[in-house]
Amino acid sequence: MAQPAGAPAGQQPYSNGPVQNQLMHSPDGQGYSPAVPGSYSHQMPAKVTPHQSSGQYSYSGSQNVSQLNNYQGPGQTLNRPPVAAFSGSPVQQPGPVPQVLPPALQNSAAVSSAGSFPPGASPPVLSNWQYSPTPVSQPLGAQTSHLAHVPGTGSAQPPSSLSGSTNPPGSYQYAASPGGPSLQNSYMKPGTAPPPVTQPLTPLHPPRPPLGPPPVGGPPRPSTAIAGPPSAQSLLKSAANQEGDARSAATDGSVVQNSYDAIEGGGLMATPHHSPAAPNLKMNRSVGYSYPALPPGYQHTSPPGAPGMNASTLQYPDGSKHFHQPALGPNHLTASMGGLSLQQEGLRPVNLLQERNILPTTLLKAPVPNLHEDIQKLNCNPELFRCTLTNIPQTQALLNKAKLPLGLLLHPFKDLSQLPVVTSSIIVRCRSCRTYINPFVSFLDQRRWKCNLCYRVNDVPDEFLYNPVTRVYGEPHKRPEVQNATIEFMAPSEYMLRPPQPPVYLFVFDVSHNAIETGYLNTVCQTLLDNLDSLPGNTRTKIGFITFDSTIHFYSLQEGLSQPQMLIVSDIEDVFIPMPENLLVNLNENKELIQDLLKTLPQMFTKSLETQSALGPALQAAFKLMSPTGGRITVFQTQLPSVGMGALKSREEPNQRATAKDIHLTPSTDFYKKLALDCSGQQVAVDLFLLSGQYSDLASLGCISRYSAGSVYYYQSYHHKHNPVQVEKLQKELKRYLTRKIGFEAVMRIRCTKGLSIHTFHGNFFVRSTDLLSLPNVNPDAGYAVQMSVEESLTDMQVVSFQSALLYTSSKGERRIRVHTMCLPVVTTLSDVYLGADVQAITGLLANMAVDRSVSATLSDARDALVNAVIDSLAAYRSSVLSIQQPGLTAPHSLRLFPLYILALLKQKAFQTGTNTRLDERIFTMCQVKNQPLVYLMLMTHPSLYRVDNLTDEGALNINDRTIPQPPLLQLSVEKLSRDGAYLMDAGSVMFLWIGKNCGQGFISQVLGVPNYGSIPQNMTHLPELETAESIRTRAFISWLREQRPFFPILYIIKDESPLKSSFLQNMIEDRTESALSYYEFLLHIQQQVNK
């Protein structure tokens, strides 16, 4: 029976017992995809014949993919039907007519910057929500349908028809209202409790007075503007009012669907909404807010019988009749696309064999799209959203001719210092494609705006005429939603399928003999103790613990116990949950018991001789415990699972590591994938920390994180004594992991202008419907990627737009929507396509595609495809753009680093050949390719090299009273090293400080703190804190580099005779290694192929 937690693990226990994704961190677009149902299509071709006709080249084969439980895994090729054109019957109207302006209670709006909650303003969240697989009883006829509807913009769109059921195994199933359409995967909102109240946030611009609702009774005169944040009561009424609108809007015969797909609001595949629309007089597809000429005084007309307002009350405080904004019409692109010196530089032919010093001395920045400055200044930050081509080809044939991949790379939940947050009773979206209003829509007049994705003309809701920032009526184009490409909305209740879940964290620890031997439990428990108060959450936060070896141990943390109780389940074939109500407990109410458990856990198993590992059953138990609420499971594993479901056998043969044919990159079982899909269906994500010195089959284990939108962390050969630097790395990374922000029960959709289509996703997630990514958890360190094609010619379009929308629940229990929108020009010539190439984004997307190719075909196929990508694009440039054929190997300036970056990828652990890469290490690097935002992926692929023995303050940054030196970047070649210097290599997850034999005595003594070169210790990993100018500069530079990433790079200080020198030299991308060409040899190979 129950024993005190301190009881030895060996006592006989009682026996018996049973349980959502986005775009650059993926599984099935990952380097470790299963050879089980759901195999992935080849996404990179073998070398194509050199003379194929335009239009035949394709980076992505589209195969029919058998589905596992009707799930589409990330990375699968999705064939989307063409977008239906809007076919509503327009009703001619004489002109825009103002509607009655709403009372204040219906329009509470506030804008704030993220995270700036005033003290005590975190929203009161109802703590008594019940989560149960069956709905609270309620007459079906009275059931409310919450759909993605915005008052005044029509009803929600149904999602595209899906093949088969979309219900995740074990998901909530609720009955539809009698007589209504069948609801797939539908949740009905339990009970009749009011929705959580969203309180206003502090203003975005501190000097301004607080933003408030518009005054009752129409626009304020300048002297009577009312300031002050909206009351919580008014926000609650606004939400209730919106629900009323959502209900009444569903009477037009459109299908109402209570699912995430309906809530986020159908993508471009959604059925067009057939309802009268303002006439779309001319499809003028330009960007901007200019009005056509309107009859003077159009503002003063009122609809027949409009109650409550005289025409004379509609006077705008600033006296303007319409917007005085520059017309950004056909001239919004800068000049003609070839006449500027900047552009000529981008197209300047570079002879790569002659110009050896092409690496810039500062970090490469994303290219700036060739847009009018008024539009470009509103564009999305490339750190969040960037495209492989900043000039979009008008046709697929032109894209095929360029031989470059078209895709997007996203970092959607990145930590931001400035984030406008809008609290409003209304979220304005296109009635047809459900795009969120953004800076790139066109306002035809004050009452109508044209969507920049599907070109539908929409009405501007009355509430949107009031600008909460300026507190002025009649300026919808100045609202924060139309002035910021990145914005976050506080979502009203119709964006919820259920009340927002509490933050729930479950920790699962391997306590087998092998695990205890590594000493990891001391580090993890102490780090958890130190950061318990910093876990994201509120008064509802819950926490629980499970440990396992060949049996599973639960810990009862019931209030009133003097110490935690251990409950052991030894029947791992039929796992059950003992006392489920006391295993996940409120963190604040049970903190002392939790602290007691964390203090005693590391000592409880020190005498254990149990060597078996029942990881699979432990994960099944964790899933059962978490499934009623959802949340995050964090599992620590140190060996190959050996007993119960999910047991694995070693597949690594050290001598076979190099042979590409026998390499085991695919999972050996589908157990972990299936369990991950079950987790995703119940809003549970699993993060895996693998701390192992032996083969643990990460290809199989990684599936649990990949498909549940989790993350994988790998600490090779972790041991607290034999490998102490790993202890500090685990501490630092675990602290970041525990305290960073988190989003729960999230979904993400990416939309693009009509004519473009998305066909493949990369990242850790599950594709719920054709284009909706399920992310049970979303974290700020995850990146995603998508591949795209030009489905219909973009004729008459000067620009196209892309928008990602991430709907999530914050740790404070608020439903939020983070929207990023990017606008790019359309071009018609091949030279312009090359001009706008973003070489880093292209490399990042190709790396994701190569991981897929490694898994679906072979590693050598993936390597060939990477090389062919360079050959094909440079051959196309040479034959189609260069007017004068030149000797050598010529690339456009924009792609001058392309061969170098591809060579760097070929030498990276994910894709390199040779026997020195462990299989788990290779798989983990592939996980990182899929999971990391582009900036970290590039650093890992092409490290940065700096000389640091002569740092000065010239050109230094000044940050928080610290001076950060900025030494120039050096090429990654031994010829750039001098024995007189000291060089820092930053390879992302590791740093090397190489000290030359003849390095100056001053640097050695004043930075390393030792008298001479011979005294430098062999295993030095820290710089001493000396009060010398040289030491302060060097440490400031290294600290600054470390602060810019979410993981902790270990610093190894090495000399010529250090064992780690080989790792340092391995990163010298431009030099020859035993299994790879030098950069010059690689260029000669490319030249030979291009000239064929």
Side-chain angles (χ1 to χ4, degrees):
M1 292 302 288
Q3 318 170 20
Q11 288 185 2
Q12 199 46 23
Y14 65 81
S15 310
N16 290 10
V19 135
Q20 296 173 335
N21 247 254
Q22 244 177 184
L23 279 359
M24 177 173 114
H25 182 119
S26 133
D28 282 35
Q30 273 166 5
Y32 36 101
S33 102
V36 296
S39 60
Y40 312 106
S41 57
H42 296 197
Q43 290 167 0
M44 296 177 65
K47 182 79 180 78
V48 292
T49 54
H51 300 295
Q52 64 174 353
S53 62
S54 157
Q56 289 182 322
Y57 189 88
S58 165
Y59 271 96
S60 168
S62 89
Q63 297 173 217
N64 291 327
V65 182
S66 61
Q67 295 186 4
L68 173 64
N69 295 338
N70 290 316
Y71 279 104
Q72 284 184 305
Q76 292 174 187
T77 298
L78 307 172
N79 292 321
R80 168 190 279 188
V83 181
F86 170 67
S87 54
S89 52
V91 174
Q92 193 73 23
Q93 292 181 349
V97 285
Q99 306 295 317
V100 178
L101 290 160
L105 288 182
Q106 293 182 20
N107 176 29
S108 311
V111 186
S112 83
S113 45
S116 53
F117 288 88
S122 97
V125 191
L126 307 172
S127 56
N128 58 346
W129 289 112
Q130 296 299 315
Y131 295 84
S132 61
T134 53
V136 179
S137 64
Q138 180 177 1
L140 281 174
Q143 185 63 44
T144 306
S145 290
H146 299 296
L147 46 149
H149 170 266
V150 177
T153 58
S155 67
Q157 301 303 318
S160 56
S161 58
L162 309 176
S163 57
S165 159
T166 56
N167 285 315
S171 70
Y172 296 83
Q173 299 257 353
Y174 291 113
S177 308
S182 62
L183 306 183
Q184 289 191 337
N185 193 20
S186 59
Y187 298 60
M188 292 193 341
K189 198 168 175 182
T192 53
V197 177
T198 306
Q199 288 198 349
L201 305 175
T202 53
L204 175 62
H205 305 288
R208 291 199 177 102
L211 305 167
V216 178
R221 292 185 174 82
S223 58
T224 59
I226 298 175
S231 67
Q233 187 181 13
S234 74
L235 284 169
L236 183 57
K237 287 185 179 175
S238 301
N241 180 60
Q242 241 176 310
E243 286 194 52
D245 285 348
R247 281 198 295 277
S248 61
T251 58
D252 62 352
S254 63
V255 179
V256 174
Q257 190 150 339
N258 264 351
S259 69
Y260 272 116
D261 210 49
I263 276 188
E264 209 292 310
L268 281 173
M269 297 182 66
T271 310
H273 177 75
H274 298 273
S275 69
N280 191 352
L281 301 174
K282 186 184 175 192
M283 278 292 216
N284 177 12
R285 298 173 175 182
S286 62
V287 171
Y289 316 115
S290 57
Y291 282 175
L294 291 170
Y298 73 90
Q299 299 95 333
H300 302 301
T301 58
S302 62
M309 190 176 300
N310 296 324
S312 60
T313 61
L314 277 169
Q315 292 173 2
Y316 300 106
D318 60 358
S320 63
K321 296 288 185 189
H322 50 79
F323 303 161
H324 297 298
Q325 214 167 338
L328 305 179
N331 310 323
H332 71 273
L333 295 176
T334 8
S336 62
M337 293 290 275
L340 297 181
S341 58
L342 168 75
Q343 294 167 344
Q344 288 171 341
E345 172 67 10
L347 268 181
R348 178 175 66 83
V350 177
N351 188 331
L352 297 176
L353 289 168
Q354 288 177 357
E355 296 190 35
R356 295 299 308 281
N357 298 314
I358 56 169
L359 191 74
T361 56
T362 56
L363 289 173
L364 196 63
K365 289 187 169 57
V368 178
N370 188 32
L371 292 166
H372 189 285
E373 61 182 357
D374 288 345
I375 299 180
Q376 182 51 35
K377 70 183 180 188
L378 296 171
N379 226 341
C380 193
N381 183 336
E383 291 178 10
L384 305 174
F385 208 169
R386 64 200 278 187
C387 185
T388 55
L389 304 175
T390 58
N391 288 334
I392 304 296
Q394 189 180 73
T395 62
Q396 183 66 36
L398 184 59
L399 175 60
N400 292 342
K401 203 172 176 186
K403 304 287 198 243
L404 292 171
L406 177 61
L408 304 171
L409 290 98
L410 291 88
H411 189 178
F413 203 53
K414 180 179 174 14
D415 287 322
L416 299 172
S417 54
Q418 289 283 311
L419 175 65
V421 177
V422 174
T423 305
S424 175
S425 61
I426 188 164
I427 295 176
V428 179
R429 300 176 66 181
C430 175
R431 293 171 70 181
S432 182
C433 69
R434 310 302 295 143
T435 294
Y436 294 81
I437 198 166
N438 60 77
F440 311 111
V441 304
S442 304
F443 282 91
L444 305 183
D445 54 50
Q446 219 164 5
R447 289 289 178 179
R448 297 178 303 156
W449 63 278
K450 186 192 284 184
C451 175
N452 52 322
L453 268 64
C454 72
Y455 304 112
R456 178 189 172 113
V457 175
N458 295 272
D459 294 333
V460 176
D462 292 325
E463 298 95 318
F464 204 74
L465 290 175
Y466 177 74
N467 184 351
V469 178
T470 58
R471 303 199 308 284
V472 167
Y473 272 91
E475 296 184 339
H477 66 293
K478 292 187 179 175
R479 293 257 315 191
E481 298 94 321
V482 191
Q483 290 294 320
N484 295 280
T486 291
I487 196 158
E488 186 147 298
F489 298 97
M490 305 295 279
S493 57
E494 55 264 37
Y495 286 84
M496 304 171 194
L497 292 184
R498 59 177 186 175
Q501 70 166 72
V504 185
Y505 305 111
L506 178 62
F507 295 90
V508 182
F509 298 127
D510 176 0
V511 291
S512 62
H513 176 74
N514 186 62
I516 298 304
E517 183 63 25
T518 66
Y520 90 88
L521 212 49
N522 293 291
T523 305
V524 171
C525 289
Q526 188 55 53
T527 307
L528 248 173
L529 269 171
D530 295 343
N531 293 286
L532 265 185
D533 293 334
S534 304
L535 287 176
N538 52 19
T539 53
R540 302 190 303 158
T541 306
K542 291 185 166 186
I543 194 168
F545 300 90
I546 292 176
T547 56
F548 67 96
D549 39 36
S550 61
T551 59
I552 301 169
H553 326 126
F554 298 89
Y555 296 87
S556 172
L557 300 163
Q558 185 179 1
E559 229 174 329
L561 288 177
S562 58
Q563 60 180 1
Q565 270 190 327
M566 179 198 270
L567 311 164
I568 301 178
V569 174
S570 58
D571 183 357
I572 57 174
E573 298 305 320
D574 185 16
V575 181
F576 72 101
I577 307 293
M579 300 171 62
E581 65 282 359
N582 299 322
L583 302 179
L584 280 174
V585 297
N586 185 289
L587 173 59
N588 296 314
E589 294 167 9
N590 300 273
K591 191 170 285 178
E592 287 186 11
L593 273 179
I594 292 163
Q595 289 170 331
D596 287 349
L597 177 61
L598 288 171
K599 286 171 185 169
T600 56
L601 258 183
Q603 279 70 53
M604 283 167 56
F605 301 94
T606 48
K607 303 271 190 333
S608 169
L609 299 175
E610 181 57 75
T611 57
Q612 303 284 2
S613 169
L615 174 66
L619 286 171
Q620 287 177 319
F623 168 61
K624 287 184 179 180
L625 193 53
M626 294 288 277
S627 58
T629 52
R632 182 177 75 190
I633 297 172
T634 308
V635 59
F636 292 83
Q637 174 72 1
T638 66
Q639 61 177 317
L640 204 62
S642 54
V643 292
M645 293 293 287
L648 301 169
K649 292 187 167 56
S650 179
R651 299 187 291 165
E652 181 179 56
E653 298 173 35
N655 298 329
Q656 299 294 313
R657 284 178 186 158
T659 57
K661 288 182 183 172
D662 301 330
I663 199 162
H664 296 290
L665 300 176
T666 53
S668 58
T669 171
D670 64 357
F671 170 81
Y672 294 99
K673 179 177 180 178
K674 283 180 171 173
L675 184 55
L677 296 181
D678 289 344
C679 286
S680 179
Q682 301 293 18
Q683 305 298 348
V684 175
V686 184
D687 292 322
L688 173 65
F689 284 76
L690 183 61
L691 311 103
S692 177
Q694 54 198 353
Y695 174 70
S696 300
D697 198 354
L698 188 54
S700 300
L701 297 185
C703 292
I704 192 69
S705 298
R706 195 179 339 151
Y707 295 101
S708 68
S711 309
V712 174
Y713 295 79
Y714 178 50
Y715 301 86
Q716 188 179 317
S717 308
Y718 183 92
H719 196 281
H720 67 121
K721 285 183 181 163
H722 303 153
N723 200 353
V725 289
Q726 292 271 25
V727 177
E728 182 185 15
K729 183 174 174 66
L730 175 61
Q731 274 174 335
K732 293 273 178 36
E733 293 182 352
L734 185 57
K735 178 179 180 180
R736 161 75 182 168
Y737 170 82
L738 293 171
T739 58
R740 71 187 179 190
K741 71 173 188 264
I742 183 172
F744 296 99
E745 48 187 353
V747 289
M748 182 167 78
R749 176 172 266 130
I750 298 163
R751 297 178 170 89
C752 46
T753 294
K754 188 177 145 187
L756 295 169
S757 73
I758 294 168
H759 59 78
T760 307
F761 297 86
H762 302 276
N764 284 5
F765 48 74
F766 159 66
V767 183
R768 187 180 292 239
S769 65
T770 19
D771 59 350
L772 188 72
L773 307 184
S774 167
L775 299 161
N777 290 177
V778 61
N779 74 70
D781 303 330
Y784 306 86
V786 292
Q787 289 167 241
M788 305 181 67
S789 57
V790 184
E791 202 166 66
E792 300 170 18
S793 174
L794 305 175
T795 321
D796 300 334
M797 296 186 201
Q798 293 177 310
V799 294
V800 289
S801 297
F802 309 87
Q803 186 177 83
S804 73
L806 175 69
L807 173 65
Y808 71 98
T809 298
S810 77
S811 57
K812 303 287 186 213
E814 303 152 340
R815 203 74 176 132
R816 290 178 167 226
I817 308 162
R818 185 169 299 186
V819 177
H820 304 292
T821 313
M822 174 172 63
C823 178
L824 295 174
V826 175
V827 297
T828 55
T829 66
L830 197 57
S831 58
D832 286 338
V833 176
Y834 286 117
L835 180 67
D838 182 339
V839 69
Q840 289 186 317
I842 289 169
T843 306
L845 185 62
L846 287 173
N848 276 276
M849 293 160 67
V851 169
D852 290 357
R853 189 62 183 270
S854 304
V855 174
S856 60
T858 65
L859 191 60
S860 58
D861 277 2
R863 289 172 56 85
D864 291 346
L866 286 171
V867 177
N868 289 338
V870 178
I871 294 168
D872 292 341
S873 58
L874 295 189
Y877 171 74
R878 182 173 186 267
S879 62
S880 303
V881 178
L882 276 185
S883 51
I884 303 168
Q885 296 301 322
Q886 301 173 349
L889 178 63
T890 310
H893 190 263
S894 59
L895 290 178
R896 68 195 185 284
L897 297 174
F898 193 24
L900 178 63
Y901 285 159
I902 293 299
L903 179 65
L905 269 183
L906 296 173
K907 295 188 175 188
Q908 201 211 39
K909 281 181 180 159
F911 306 111
Q912 69 186 21
T913 54
T915 56
N916 57 354
T917 306
R918 292 188 179 193
L919 188 47
D920 281 343
E921 200 178 357
R922 185 186 297 276
I923 298 288
F924 175 62
T925 312
M926 289 180 169
C927 293
Q928 288 181 302
V929 168
K930 287 290 197 173
N931 182 29
Q932 286 192 343
L934 181 62
V935 59
Y936 309 132
L937 173 59
M938 289 309 301
L939 195 53
M940 193 172 78
T941 302
H942 186 275
S944 298
L945 182 67
Y946 307 93
R947 181 165 183 167
V948 293
D949 61 310
N950 54 3
L951 293 178
T952 66
D953 290 345
E954 189 181 335
L957 299 176
N958 286 299
I959 303 173
N960 301 332
D961 299 328
R962 287 190 308 161
T963 302
I964 316 291
Q966 297 293 295
L969 281 171
L970 302 173
Q971 287 173 253
L972 292 171
S973 172
V974 173
E975 70 181 37
K976 296 297 176 186
L977 301 181
S978 159
R979 290 191 179 278
D980 302 335
Y983 296 83
L984 179 73
M985 177 185 283
D986 178 5
S989 54
V990 65
M991 289 180 175
F992 299 99
L993 179 56
W994 181 80
I995 313 295
K997 256 198 176 125
N998 304 327
C999 182
Q1001 189 60 40
F1003 182 85
I1004 291 175
S1005 59
Q1006 294 180 22
V1007 175
L1008 304 181
V1010 294
N1012 53 49
Y1013 181 83
S1015 310
I1016 301 172
Q1018 189 72 274
N1019 54 355
M1020 189 172 181
T1021 56
H1022 289 84
L1023 292 179
E1025 294 192 16
L1026 307 175
E1027 289 306 313
T1028 62
E1030 291 83 351
S1031 173
I1032 290 168
R1033 278 197 198 104
T1034 309
R1035 285 183 292 112
F1037 181 55
I1038 291 172
S1039 299
W1040 175 73
L1041 290 174
R1042 277 176 163 163
E1043 286 161 10
Q1044 295 179 67
R1045 64 202 68 169
F1047 39 87
F1048 181 79
I1050 299 168
L1051 173 67
Y1052 293 103
I1053 295 153
I1054 56 173
K1055 304 189 287 184
D1056 265 353
E1057 54 272 24
S1058 299
L1060 281 168
K1061 188 184 177 189
S1062 59
S1063 301
F1064 175 70
L1065 294 178
Q1066 185 75 33
N1067 283 317
M1068 290 295 184
I1069 304 300
E1070 300 194 17
D1071 297 335
R1072 185 172 195 166
T1073 62
E1074 58 182 39
S1075 58
L1077 300 175
S1078 71
Y1079 177 54
Y1080 190 73
E1081 290 168 331
F1082 184 64
L1083 290 177
L1084 290 173
H1085 171 69
I1086 299 292
Q1087 180 194 23
Q1088 184 185 5
Q1089 298 298 312
V1090 166
N1091 291 340
K1092 269 186 179 177

